[in-house]
Amino acid sequence: AGRAGSGAAPRSSKRRAGRRARPAAGEPLADSHDRSRVVFLGSRFLAHVERSEIKVTSTASAETVAILRGHKAPVTSVCLSAWNSVQLISCDTDGCVKVWDFQDATCLRTFEKTGAERVEGRFAVFVNEEGNDKASSVPAWAVHRIDLSVAKNRFKKKQAIVTGSRKEECRALLLGGVNSRAANEPRYVVAVAGRRLRVLDDQTNINYSFKFDFDVTTAAVHPTDDLLAVGLITGHVVLVRPDGPSFEKVIRTQWRWHAHAVFTMAFTVDGAQLLTGAEEGVLVTWQVSNGNKSFLARVGGEIRQIAVSPDGSYYALSLSTNMVRLVDARTRELGAAIQGLGGDGIEETANRTWRSHAHRALVVEPRSGAIVVQKSPGFLQLFDVERDREVAAIDVMQQNVISRDNNGPTSVGYVEHVAFTPGKGRRMVTVEQRNDRTALKFWVHDRSGRAQQQAGQGASQSHGTYAVSTHVDQPHSAPVTTLLMHPSGELVVTASEDKTFKVWELKAGTGQWECRSVGYYRQTAISCGAMSSDGSLVALAYGRLITLWNPYKNVMLCSLAHPGLDAKANITHLAFFRQSYLAAATSDGGLFVWDVLRRKIVWQLQLESVTALAAPEDDLLVTANDTTVLVFGTSPVPRQLLKTEEGEPGVVGVAYVPQMGKYVYVSNSGAVRCLATSQTSKEESVAVDTNTFGDGLSTFALIQSSQGAAANSAAKQSQRAAAAVSTQVAITTSSTDTLKTLNAYPSYVLPPLAKICKSLLGVEGFAVVDGEAGDE
């Protein structure tokens, strides 16, 4: 059905115009769904965005052939250069535009702070903050021509061709059509904004504006004909044709299948078909001539973008699970899956909830060295960081993906905790939660992968997967805060906000697990816990107090109270290292290291914040100030200083991968990176960083020292710590800096005053007087 008119919009017989200006509760606007995140580089390769990186992947093998790194913020768009066919142009949320040679995987030029929001061909969208002022006559956003062809490192911005008001946000920029005036130029430049579709006919230099009753979410331009396709937030697909030689009067044809907002659409190369996708996870193919449709279901997630290869042989679907799924255009069958790490880096309303659960701690699967993340609700992913590929996927909750209704998002569950048996153990334990229901599952490794194959899940033949051996419904009456696995793999400890902890034991000869004992202390909730490397001790934190337990006998051995701890500063992290040392981090940035044998604090430091704590390979990893990871031995002087890439903030998890021999971290955005190691040799001078982590009075010295063997006794450890501090202070020429450095350490680890007075006075050639010998 169609009708003519310049401003006519598709209307529903049950709804009047303007009734639904915004989506229903929980329904996301598609303002970031249609960003150009996938682009074909011919038919053999494609480039796709993963947070702040651009990966070049082979369409035949699904292997990553190159990674383009350099952006410090999430990339919003990537496109082929209009000036050079072997170059890519990318833009991020900070307005940084980069030009890449994707064949050599090198960055050719960088333009910082251009103000561009996204780039497409020879055009870019710019946002003007002054335009948001009601009294301002400046448009809130505009599409400008740009010129990057010049050899000089200069971003040339030309005149504006399409502008918009402050009431509408430019959600997408699209190009298409045949321009008879310039063969290599698109005829139509289309901007999606609010309820309007703003179009520039570059051949006639005429602007058109089409208004609809509902928000426009996406659009597409026919490759050869004068035809526009528009997707609405109501799920309608509207075709706009000119009624005559131009778009002064148009004919609109309306189709409907999607239950929710249309996220993306694209015409095939010949223009005979229109492809649409949305959150239902179904690729819909429409015949442009008659509106007949066909479906390809279960593609693997919400469809965020559709790209068509230049020869028309492949479709690439960018999904919400950070997967690019290839579709054979001839057979309409699903092809290779290019799976990235975790879920989508751009957090939409539907993703924010589960992504806050996905990175509580960075866990490494000991068998493969793959890191474990939650790529979608209830779905764990084992990802090889070094090879940049998925090793296995585990459907922990086995919940069906149901399309939500207009009342809000559907209820989904999340994997809250996961733990593995150290070494080459075969057991895994998970804690999942959905609404107020909790489940504890015990898994055993299945080398053949039959369990996942029966469930329709893919599993690497070399890795296998995990199968459930015991399912415990509602193990605690409140959410579980701690999950600890015994080194033997036959004992598990869970702690909860219900003020109890439980010890679970593997029943010999049955493969089933049962509760061995229940413990509690002063009816106080447990915030965190840790288990020693030999499994003989369990440490549980109750507010500001640490209790040590024997897990076999369920007997409390002692309690450890931190001296001078602020009443509001509770313990947030615990970690055992070097067998008898226990590290505790507090909410105010305090770091305490206990010798549990002597029940004394060995050393303590005051940092600005501690966001992650881990103890792999007998080392203590402390994430300070969100950007720095410190590696400690038994001394308060860090052995290594590890920096995040480009100072990326928001480190929420850190771990050591033995198979790689590297430290890795996970950030708030979900990105996992290898840490850059900074370590000094014995011959190098040791630098003191006076960056203040504390309240301005206590300065933490980021000092690097050579790695030495651990001391055999507590006395030798104290002597080595004192010698290390003395070495650092001896090279400091400023007495003020020395005093600040000393202020960061407890007095009992400092060397004698006779050894540091030279640095305090700052006098060259100063000789210490020995009172007994009388030598000057």
Side-chain angles (χ1 to χ4, degrees), residues 63-109:
E63 294 284 345
T64 301
V65 298
I67 301 179
L68 309 180
R69 291 174 176 167
H71 283 285
K72 300 179 182 179
V75 177
T76 57
S77 66
V78 59
C79 65
L80 281 171
S81 173
W83 299 274
N84 193 323
S85 59
V86 297
Q87 293 180 359
L88 280 174
I89 299 177
S90 60
C91 179
D92 64 25
T93 55
D94 289 342
C96 176
V97 176
K98 289 182 176 290
V99 180
W100 307 86
D101 185 331
F102 60 81
Q103 292 182 341
D104 296 334
T106 56
C107 180
L108 304 178
R109 285 178 289 170

Side-chain angles (χ1 to χ4, degrees), residues 743-759:
N743 190 36
Y745 296 91
S747 59
Y748 51 80
V749 301
L750 294 178
L753 182 61
K755 293 186 178 181
I756 60 175
C757 61
K758 175 180 175 181
S759 297

Side-chain angles (χ1 to χ4, degrees), residues 384-568:
D384 189 333
V385 178
E386 191 171 30
R387 299 173 60 194
D388 192 50
R389 65 180 303 172
E390 182 181 276
V391 175
I394 306 172
D395 188 0
V396 176
M397 302 191 65
Q398 297 183 355
Q399 54 189 357
N400 293 325
V401 179
I402 303 174
S403 180
R404 60 179 175 80
D405 56 24
N406 288 331
N407 294 325
T410 56
S411 175
V412 293
Y414 313 101
V415 180
E416 296 283 349
H417 304 277
V418 59
F420 295 89
T421 306
K424 296 295 183 180
R426 301 176 54 246
R427 304 193 184 279
M428 177 180 73
V429 185
T430 59
V431 176
E432 61 190 56
Q433 185 164 348
R434 180 169 181 169
N435 297 332
D436 58 348
R437 302 298 298 177
T438 305
L440 175 66
K441 290 182 180 179
F442 299 88
W443 306 70
V444 63
H445 187 262
D446 179 13
R447 182 71 178 180
S448 64
R450 287 190 299 269
Q452 289 295 92
Q453 292 172 5
Q454 292 174 0
Q457 307 295 336
S460 171
Q461 294 181 356
S462 61
H463 180 271
T465 186
Y466 290 86
V468 178
S469 63
T470 304
H471 183 142
V472 181
D473 190 31
Q474 206 67 14
H476 291 270
S477 59
V480 175
T481 59
T482 301
L483 174 65
L484 306 174
M485 171 73 86
H486 194 274
S488 66
E490 299 180 356
L491 210 67
V492 168
V493 178
T494 59
S496 169
E497 293 178 358
D498 64 0
K499 305 175 184 179
T500 67
F501 68 91
K502 294 184 179 182
V503 180
W504 306 83
E505 184 182 31
L506 178 63
K507 198 172 181 180
T510 64
Q512 300 296 312
W513 291 75
E514 61 183 7
C515 183
R516 175 190 177 106
S517 59
V518 181
Y520 63 92
Y521 178 75
R522 292 185 179 179
Q523 292 296 320
T524 307
I526 302 170
S527 58
C528 59
M531 181 177 287
S532 62
S533 59
D534 61 356
S536 61
L537 282 179
V538 171
L540 299 174
Y542 295 85
R544 296 176 293 158
L545 196 68
I546 299 176
T547 57
L548 299 180
W549 300 77
N550 183 331
Y552 293 101
K553 298 181 179 181
N554 198 16
V555 174
M556 192 180 80
L557 303 177
C558 66
S559 62
L560 308 176
H562 292 78
L565 193 62
D566 185 5
K568 298 181 179 179

Side-chain angles (χ1 to χ4, degrees), residues 72 80 138 148 156 225 246 291 377 453 464 543 546 551 554 567 598 685:
K72 300 179 182 179
L80 281 171
V138 180
L148 304 180
K156 192 173 182 181
D225 298 339
S246 69
Q453 292 172 5
I546 299 176
N554 198 16
R598 295 186 299 164
S685 60

